[in-house]
Amino acid sequence: MNKQSNALFGSHYLDFQCIGDACEDTCCAGWQVDIDRDTYHRYKSNQHPELKNLFKTAVQRRKDQSCTEKRFAVLSMNIRGECAFLANGLCKIQKELGHEMLSDTCKNYPRQKKIFGLQYEYSLSLSCPEAARRILLDQEKMCFHEDQISSDKELPIVETESPDRLIILNDIRAVIIFTLQHREVSLDIRLLLVGIFLEAIDNQVNPLNSQTIEQLPQITQEFCQLLLQSDKIKQELRQLPSDDALRLKIFAEIMNTNPEGTNYRFSKCISEAAQGILGQTDTPPTSEEMARRIKHVAREQLIPFLSDNGQILENYLVHTVFHSLFPFKNEPLLQQYTKLVCHYLIVKTCLLGLTAHHGQMTEEMAICVIQSYCKLSEHNAPYPNRVVSILKNNGYAEFRKIFLLILDPEAEVKSE
């Protein structure tokens, strides 16, 4: 008899459908595809006349300590970073043998499932272009659907949580998502406020357990009062210092950071963004000229686009909070939050540079940046970490200082 459990489904998980060879970026391009042990043996013993030789040469068993039952082997990639079984945008295995012959990784992508104690969660990866379009372009506030599932099959356990701590973390995540969707203030300010909330928790409710849980309602209540004081927030923004030259220097360093690998979509995005920020003339402009031009592009082109399409970055942040298991990871809340802010900074910097390069920003360009960056960051941790190092080397390790790069005080106040 199957056991029924409650499950939480992220935005568009239940209605997602792959668009196959119409997709502009194939699933397996640019990253490593893991093969589980059962699939490995099925492939090695398969005698399909068109695939058996590929199964012999392109399915390679792991022979180091990283080998597990779920990560037993890998599919080899060609010099362009494409899977050996890919042909005309379609998988030869699925075409010739059917969906059931795919590995767990290929069968489930872009779907992700996680479990905490008895809490099941399902979401889509934004590294899939179609999932990114469905999620990011939805103008309604992102919501999560609760339903029952059959839990007779064991799901991968990410982290064992005590019931008390799970309740606390769920409450914290609810406040984070509510804040990010509080559209009375700009998204940049909402993200900054999330940091202030998490900082108060890290300072006053540490560790998170049944003894400290009684302090959380008071912290939450005080934070909600702050959230409603939009006039006070705007006034404080006017007092923020602004160093356009340093901001431009850090933007340029981020743009010149080589993401490596074979994610050609993001490589193209960041290359064009670098040209947009650094200029494309034979005579290099001065730093003051570049700063004025970038500020003009931000205020006259990018900010109006984001104002008209505010759901794109809002949904990106809310989805990332849910999909990346924030704040359920076993590390300090502010540390998790700072990583989120760095991802956001990279995306916004790319959007700014591309706007300068093309003279405009469009939905298609914004989706391409976020989708290709998610494909890179989910499978290439060194790149975001190098950006974090750039910030630290320039004295911008603390989240409030990072926001001096994200926020343009004059533009933020003007846009409210």
PDB file of all heavy atoms in Angstrom, residues 237-263:
ATOM      1  N   LEU A 237      17.888  55.956   1.677  1.00  0.00           N
ATOM      2  CA  LEU A 237      18.581  55.725   0.416  1.00  0.00           C
ATOM      3  C   LEU A 237      19.309  56.974  -0.066  1.00  0.00           C
ATOM      4  O   LEU A 237      20.387  56.893  -0.657  1.00  0.00           O
ATOM      5  CB  LEU A 237      17.591  55.270  -0.651  1.00  0.00           C
ATOM      6  CG  LEU A 237      17.258  53.772  -0.706  1.00  0.00           C
ATOM      7  CD1 LEU A 237      16.215  53.505  -1.771  1.00  0.00           C
ATOM      8  CD2 LEU A 237      18.506  52.960  -0.973  1.00  0.00           C
ATOM      9  N   ARG A 238      18.710  58.115   0.179  1.00  0.00           N
ATOM     10  CA  ARG A 238      19.330  59.359  -0.265  1.00  0.00           C
ATOM     11  C   ARG A 238      20.658  59.613   0.436  1.00  0.00           C
ATOM     12  O   ARG A 238      21.467  60.401  -0.038  1.00  0.00           O
ATOM     13  CB  ARG A 238      18.377  60.529   0.003  1.00  0.00           C
ATOM     14  CG  ARG A 238      17.098  60.500  -0.833  1.00  0.00           C
ATOM     15  CD  ARG A 238      16.316  61.799  -0.678  1.00  0.00           C
ATOM     16  NE  ARG A 238      15.118  61.813  -1.507  1.00  0.00           N
ATOM     17  CZ  ARG A 238      13.904  61.460  -1.082  1.00  0.00           C
ATOM     18  NH1 ARG A 238      13.745  61.071   0.167  1.00  0.00           N
ATOM     19  NH2 ARG A 238      12.872  61.509  -1.884  1.00  0.00           N
ATOM     20  N   GLN A 239      20.862  58.955   1.576  1.00  0.00           N
ATOM     21  CA  GLN A 239      22.102  59.159   2.337  1.00  0.00           C
ATOM     22  C   GLN A 239      23.210  58.189   1.928  1.00  0.00           C
ATOM     23  O   GLN A 239      24.332  58.283   2.412  1.00  0.00           O
ATOM     24  CB  GLN A 239      21.812  58.986   3.849  1.00  0.00           C
ATOM     25  CG  GLN A 239      20.626  59.789   4.369  1.00  0.00           C
ATOM     26  CD  GLN A 239      20.753  61.267   4.079  1.00  0.00           C
ATOM     27  OE1 GLN A 239      21.832  61.855   4.222  1.00  0.00           O
ATOM     28  NE2 GLN A 239      19.655  61.894   3.659  1.00  0.00           N
ATOM     29  N   LEU A 240      22.888  57.231   1.034  1.00  0.00           N
ATOM     30  CA  LEU A 240      23.898  56.253   0.640  1.00  0.00           C
ATOM     31  C   LEU A 240      25.020  56.926  -0.144  1.00  0.00           C
ATOM     32  O   LEU A 240      24.751  57.731  -1.041  1.00  0.00           O
ATOM     33  CB  LEU A 240      23.282  55.151  -0.221  1.00  0.00           C
ATOM     34  CG  LEU A 240      22.447  54.088   0.487  1.00  0.00           C
ATOM     35  CD1 LEU A 240      21.843  53.135  -0.544  1.00  0.00           C
ATOM     36  CD2 LEU A 240      23.287  53.318   1.489  1.00  0.00           C
ATOM     37  N   PRO A 241      26.281  56.588   0.150  1.00  0.00           N
ATOM     38  CA  PRO A 241      27.380  57.129  -0.652  1.00  0.00           C
ATOM     39  C   PRO A 241      27.399  56.481  -2.026  1.00  0.00           C
ATOM     40  O   PRO A 241      26.916  55.371  -2.208  1.00  0.00           O
ATOM     41  CB  PRO A 241      28.628  56.728   0.161  1.00  0.00           C
ATOM     42  CG  PRO A 241      28.205  55.500   0.905  1.00  0.00           C
ATOM     43  CD  PRO A 241      26.744  55.693   1.230  1.00  0.00           C
ATOM     44  N   SER A 242      27.937  57.163  -3.004  1.00  0.00           N
ATOM     45  CA  SER A 242      28.013  56.625  -4.362  1.00  0.00           C
ATOM     46  C   SER A 242      29.395  56.883  -4.920  1.00  0.00           C
ATOM     47  O   SER A 242      29.886  58.010  -4.903  1.00  0.00           O
ATOM     48  CB  SER A 242      26.945  57.274  -5.246  1.00  0.00           C
ATOM     49  OG  SER A 242      26.993  56.754  -6.544  1.00  0.00           O
ATOM     50  N   ASP A 243      30.036  55.807  -5.385  1.00  0.00           N
ATOM     51  CA  ASP A 243      31.361  55.916  -5.988  1.00  0.00           C
ATOM     52  C   ASP A 243      31.268  55.303  -7.380  1.00  0.00           C
ATOM     53  O   ASP A 243      31.483  54.107  -7.572  1.00  0.00           O
ATOM     54  CB  ASP A 243      32.402  55.191  -5.136  1.00  0.00           C
ATOM     55  CG  ASP A 243      33.828  55.453  -5.605  1.00  0.00           C
ATOM     56  OD1 ASP A 243      33.991  55.782  -6.800  1.00  0.00           O
ATOM     57  OD2 ASP A 243      34.752  55.330  -4.797  1.00  0.00           O
ATOM     58  N   ASP A 244      30.904  56.143  -8.368  1.00  0.00           N
ATOM     59  CA  ASP A 244      30.664  55.627  -9.709  1.00  0.00           C
ATOM     60  C   ASP A 244      31.914  55.006 -10.319  1.00  0.00           C
ATOM     61  O   ASP A 244      31.825  54.008 -11.042  1.00  0.00           O
ATOM     62  CB  ASP A 244      30.149  56.751 -10.615  1.00  0.00           C
ATOM     63  CG  ASP A 244      28.757  57.212 -10.224  1.00  0.00           C
ATOM     64  OD1 ASP A 244      28.005  56.388  -9.665  1.00  0.00           O
ATOM     65  OD2 ASP A 244      28.429  58.389 -10.458  1.00  0.00           O
ATOM     66  N   ALA A 245      33.063  55.569 -10.038  1.00  0.00           N
ATOM     67  CA  ALA A 245      34.306  55.053 -10.625  1.00  0.00           C
ATOM     68  C   ALA A 245      34.606  53.646 -10.105  1.00  0.00           C
ATOM     69  O   ALA A 245      34.954  52.743 -10.879  1.00  0.00           O
ATOM     70  CB  ALA A 245      35.466  55.993 -10.307  1.00  0.00           C
ATOM     71  N   LEU A 246      34.458  53.448  -8.794  1.00  0.00           N
ATOM     72  CA  LEU A 246      34.716  52.127  -8.225  1.00  0.00           C
ATOM     73  C   LEU A 246      33.666  51.132  -8.702  1.00  0.00           C
ATOM     74  O   LEU A 246      33.978  49.976  -9.005  1.00  0.00           O
ATOM     75  CB  LEU A 246      34.717  52.201  -6.699  1.00  0.00           C
ATOM     76  CG  LEU A 246      34.994  50.872  -5.963  1.00  0.00           C
ATOM     77  CD1 LEU A 246      36.329  50.294  -6.404  1.00  0.00           C
ATOM     78  CD2 LEU A 246      34.970  51.079  -4.458  1.00  0.00           C
ATOM     79  N   ARG A 247      32.416  51.573  -8.779  1.00  0.00           N
ATOM     80  CA  ARG A 247      31.350  50.694  -9.271  1.00  0.00           C
ATOM     81  C   ARG A 247      31.684  50.211 -10.680  1.00  0.00           C
ATOM     82  O   ARG A 247      31.577  49.015 -10.990  1.00  0.00           O
ATOM     83  CB  ARG A 247      30.019  51.443  -9.262  1.00  0.00           C
ATOM     84  CG  ARG A 247      28.868  50.637  -9.844  1.00  0.00           C
ATOM     85  CD  ARG A 247      27.604  51.481  -9.934  1.00  0.00           C
ATOM     86  NE  ARG A 247      27.097  51.816  -8.621  1.00  0.00           N
ATOM     87  CZ  ARG A 247      26.073  52.628  -8.415  1.00  0.00           C
ATOM     88  NH1 ARG A 247      25.470  53.197  -9.449  1.00  0.00           N
ATOM     89  NH2 ARG A 247      25.643  52.884  -7.199  1.00  0.00           N
ATOM     90  N   LEU A 248      32.109  51.128 -11.545  1.00  0.00           N
ATOM     91  CA  LEU A 248      32.460  50.766 -12.914  1.00  0.00           C
ATOM     92  C   LEU A 248      33.649  49.813 -12.946  1.00  0.00           C
ATOM     93  O   LEU A 248      33.678  48.858 -13.733  1.00  0.00           O
ATOM     94  CB  LEU A 248      32.763  52.025 -13.720  1.00  0.00           C
ATOM     95  CG  LEU A 248      33.044  51.820 -15.212  1.00  0.00           C
ATOM     96  CD1 LEU A 248      31.800  51.294 -15.914  1.00  0.00           C
ATOM     97  CD2 LEU A 248      33.500  53.115 -15.848  1.00  0.00           C
ATOM     98  N   LYS A 249      34.631  50.051 -12.089  1.00  0.00           N
ATOM     99  CA  LYS A 249      35.810  49.175 -12.023  1.00  0.00           C
ATOM    100  C   LYS A 249      35.406  47.745 -11.682  1.00  0.00           C
ATOM    101  O   LYS A 249      35.871  46.780 -12.309  1.00  0.00           O
ATOM    102  CB  LYS A 249      36.789  49.706 -10.976  1.00  0.00           C
ATOM    103  CG  LYS A 249      37.982  48.791 -10.699  1.00  0.00           C
ATOM    104  CD  LYS A 249      38.893  49.405  -9.642  1.00  0.00           C
ATOM    105  CE  LYS A 249      40.071  48.494  -9.295  1.00  0.00           C
ATOM    106  NZ  LYS A 249      39.657  47.288  -8.585  1.00  0.00           N
ATOM    107  N   ILE A 250      34.531  47.589 -10.697  1.00  0.00           N
ATOM    108  CA  ILE A 250      34.108  46.251 -10.279  1.00  0.00           C
ATOM    109  C   ILE A 250      33.248  45.606 -11.364  1.00  0.00           C
ATOM    110  O   ILE A 250      33.397  44.412 -11.661  1.00  0.00           O
ATOM    111  CB  ILE A 250      33.352  46.318  -8.939  1.00  0.00           C
ATOM    112  CG1 ILE A 250      34.314  46.778  -7.836  1.00  0.00           C
ATOM    113  CG2 ILE A 250      32.748  44.965  -8.584  1.00  0.00           C
ATOM    114  CD1 ILE A 250      33.657  46.978  -6.493  1.00  0.00           C
ATOM    115  N   PHE A 251      32.363  46.384 -12.003  1.00  0.00           N
ATOM    116  CA  PHE A 251      31.570  45.862 -13.102  1.00  0.00           C
ATOM    117  C   PHE A 251      32.482  45.324 -14.203  1.00  0.00           C
ATOM    118  O   PHE A 251      32.251  44.242 -14.757  1.00  0.00           O
ATOM    119  CB  PHE A 251      30.668  46.957 -13.683  1.00  0.00           C
ATOM    120  CG  PHE A 251      29.447  47.267 -12.848  1.00  0.00           C
ATOM    121  CD1 PHE A 251      28.593  48.290 -13.207  1.00  0.00           C
ATOM    122  CD2 PHE A 251      29.167  46.538 -11.704  1.00  0.00           C
ATOM    123  CE1 PHE A 251      27.474  48.586 -12.449  1.00  0.00           C
ATOM    124  CE2 PHE A 251      28.050  46.832 -10.932  1.00  0.00           C
ATOM    125  CZ  PHE A 251      27.204  47.853 -11.311  1.00  0.00           C
ATOM    126  N   ALA A 252      33.518  46.100 -14.523  1.00  0.00           N
ATOM    127  CA  ALA A 252      34.443  45.692 -15.586  1.00  0.00           C
ATOM    128  C   ALA A 252      35.171  44.402 -15.208  1.00  0.00           C
ATOM    129  O   ALA A 252      35.355  43.509 -16.048  1.00  0.00           O
ATOM    130  CB  ALA A 252      35.452  46.809 -15.858  1.00  0.00           C
ATOM    131  N   GLU A 253      35.569  44.272 -13.951  1.00  0.00           N
ATOM    132  CA  GLU A 253      36.249  43.057 -13.510  1.00  0.00           C
ATOM    133  C   GLU A 253      35.317  41.851 -13.587  1.00  0.00           C
ATOM    134  O   GLU A 253      35.739  40.745 -13.955  1.00  0.00           O
ATOM    135  CB  GLU A 253      36.767  43.235 -12.076  1.00  0.00           C
ATOM    136  CG  GLU A 253      37.952  44.185 -11.966  1.00  0.00           C
ATOM    137  CD  GLU A 253      38.531  44.226 -10.557  1.00  0.00           C
ATOM    138  OE1 GLU A 253      38.407  43.216  -9.844  1.00  0.00           O
ATOM    139  OE2 GLU A 253      39.082  45.268 -10.177  1.00  0.00           O
ATOM    140  N   ILE A 254      34.045  42.042 -13.229  1.00  0.00           N
ATOM    141  CA  ILE A 254      33.081  40.947 -13.316  1.00  0.00           C
ATOM    142  C   ILE A 254      32.898  40.526 -14.771  1.00  0.00           C
ATOM    143  O   ILE A 254      32.883  39.336 -15.106  1.00  0.00           O
ATOM    144  CB  ILE A 254      31.726  41.362 -12.702  1.00  0.00           C
ATOM    145  CG1 ILE A 254      31.866  41.519 -11.179  1.00  0.00           C
ATOM    146  CG2 ILE A 254      30.637  40.338 -13.033  1.00  0.00           C
ATOM    147  CD1 ILE A 254      30.616  42.063 -10.504  1.00  0.00           C
ATOM    148  N   MET A 255      32.775  41.513 -15.667  1.00  0.00           N
ATOM    149  CA  MET A 255      32.572  41.209 -17.076  1.00  0.00           C
ATOM    150  C   MET A 255      33.785  40.527 -17.700  1.00  0.00           C
ATOM    151  O   MET A 255      33.662  39.738 -18.632  1.00  0.00           O
ATOM    152  CB  MET A 255      32.261  42.497 -17.847  1.00  0.00           C
ATOM    153  CG  MET A 255      30.923  43.128 -17.531  1.00  0.00           C
ATOM    154  SD  MET A 255      29.487  42.113 -17.982  1.00  0.00           S
ATOM    155  CE  MET A 255      29.162  41.244 -16.446  1.00  0.00           C
ATOM    156  N   ASN A 256      34.966  40.828 -17.194  1.00  0.00           N
ATOM    157  CA  ASN A 256      36.187  40.247 -17.758  1.00  0.00           C
ATOM    158  C   ASN A 256      36.563  38.913 -17.123  1.00  0.00           C
ATOM    159  O   ASN A 256      37.573  38.322 -17.477  1.00  0.00           O
ATOM    160  CB  ASN A 256      37.356  41.228 -17.603  1.00  0.00           C
ATOM    161  CG  ASN A 256      37.304  42.337 -18.636  1.00  0.00           C
ATOM    162  OD1 ASN A 256      36.839  42.128 -19.746  1.00  0.00           O
ATOM    163  ND2 ASN A 256      37.774  43.519 -18.271  1.00  0.00           N
ATOM    164  N   THR A 257      35.742  38.447 -16.182  1.00  0.00           N
ATOM    165  CA  THR A 257      36.003  37.150 -15.552  1.00  0.00           C
ATOM    166  C   THR A 257      35.552  36.047 -16.485  1.00  0.00           C
ATOM    167  O   THR A 257      34.378  35.959 -16.837  1.00  0.00           O
ATOM    168  CB  THR A 257      35.260  37.026 -14.210  1.00  0.00           C
ATOM    169  OG1 THR A 257      35.679  38.080 -13.348  1.00  0.00           O
ATOM    170  CG2 THR A 257      35.556  35.690 -13.546  1.00  0.00           C
ATOM    171  N   ASN A 258      36.477  35.208 -16.910  1.00  0.00           N
ATOM    172  CA  ASN A 258      36.183  34.152 -17.882  1.00  0.00           C
ATOM    173  C   ASN A 258      35.380  33.039 -17.227  1.00  0.00           C
ATOM    174  O   ASN A 258      35.853  32.389 -16.303  1.00  0.00           O
ATOM    175  CB  ASN A 258      37.496  33.583 -18.433  1.00  0.00           C
ATOM    176  CG  ASN A 258      37.257  32.540 -19.505  1.00  0.00           C
ATOM    177  OD1 ASN A 258      36.127  32.298 -19.912  1.00  0.00           O
ATOM    178  ND2 ASN A 258      38.327  31.935 -19.966  1.00  0.00           N
ATOM    179  N   PRO A 259      34.145  32.786 -17.709  1.00  0.00           N
ATOM    180  CA  PRO A 259      33.358  31.715 -17.109  1.00  0.00           C
ATOM    181  C   PRO A 259      33.853  30.324 -17.449  1.00  0.00           C
ATOM    182  O   PRO A 259      33.443  29.350 -16.830  1.00  0.00           O
ATOM    183  CB  PRO A 259      31.952  31.949 -17.689  1.00  0.00           C
ATOM    184  CG  PRO A 259      32.189  32.660 -18.968  1.00  0.00           C
ATOM    185  CD  PRO A 259      33.396  33.514 -18.750  1.00  0.00           C
ATOM    186  N   GLU A 260      34.700  30.196 -18.458  1.00  0.00           N
ATOM    187  CA  GLU A 260      35.273  28.918 -18.885  1.00  0.00           C
ATOM    188  C   GLU A 260      34.166  27.964 -19.326  1.00  0.00           C
ATOM    189  O   GLU A 260      32.992  28.309 -19.407  1.00  0.00           O
ATOM    190  CB  GLU A 260      36.128  28.296 -17.763  1.00  0.00           C
ATOM    191  CG  GLU A 260      37.304  29.150 -17.355  1.00  0.00           C
ATOM    192  CD  GLU A 260      38.073  28.560 -16.190  1.00  0.00           C
ATOM    193  OE1 GLU A 260      37.594  27.601 -15.576  1.00  0.00           O
ATOM    194  OE2 GLU A 260      39.163  29.080 -15.901  1.00  0.00           O
ATOM    195  N   GLY A 261      34.551  26.711 -19.637  1.00  0.00           N
ATOM    196  CA  GLY A 261      33.565  25.716 -20.019  1.00  0.00           C
ATOM    197  C   GLY A 261      33.035  25.954 -21.425  1.00  0.00           C
ATOM    198  O   GLY A 261      33.582  26.710 -22.222  1.00  0.00           O
ATOM    199  N   THR A 262      31.915  25.281 -21.736  1.00  0.00           N
ATOM    200  CA  THR A 262      31.342  25.337 -23.080  1.00  0.00           C
ATOM    201  C   THR A 262      29.918  25.871 -23.064  1.00  0.00           C
ATOM    202  O   THR A 262      29.098  25.508 -23.892  1.00  0.00           O
ATOM    203  CB  THR A 262      31.361  23.935 -23.715  1.00  0.00           C
ATOM    204  OG1 THR A 262      30.719  23.000 -22.814  1.00  0.00           O
ATOM    205  CG2 THR A 262      32.770  23.468 -23.998  1.00  0.00           C
ATOM    206  N   ASN A 263      29.617  26.750 -22.107  1.00  0.00           N
ATOM    207  CA  ASN A 263      28.306  27.401 -22.070  1.00  0.00           C
ATOM    208  C   ASN A 263      28.381  28.628 -22.980  1.00  0.00           C
ATOM    209  O   ASN A 263      28.599  29.746 -22.538  1.00  0.00           O
ATOM    210  CB  ASN A 263      27.951  27.806 -20.636  1.00  0.00           C
ATOM    211  CG  ASN A 263      26.530  28.313 -20.499  1.00  0.00           C
ATOM    212  OD1 ASN A 263      25.977  28.900 -21.424  1.00  0.00           O
ATOM    213  ND2 ASN A 263      25.931  28.083 -19.349  1.00  0.00           N
TER     214      ASN A 263
END
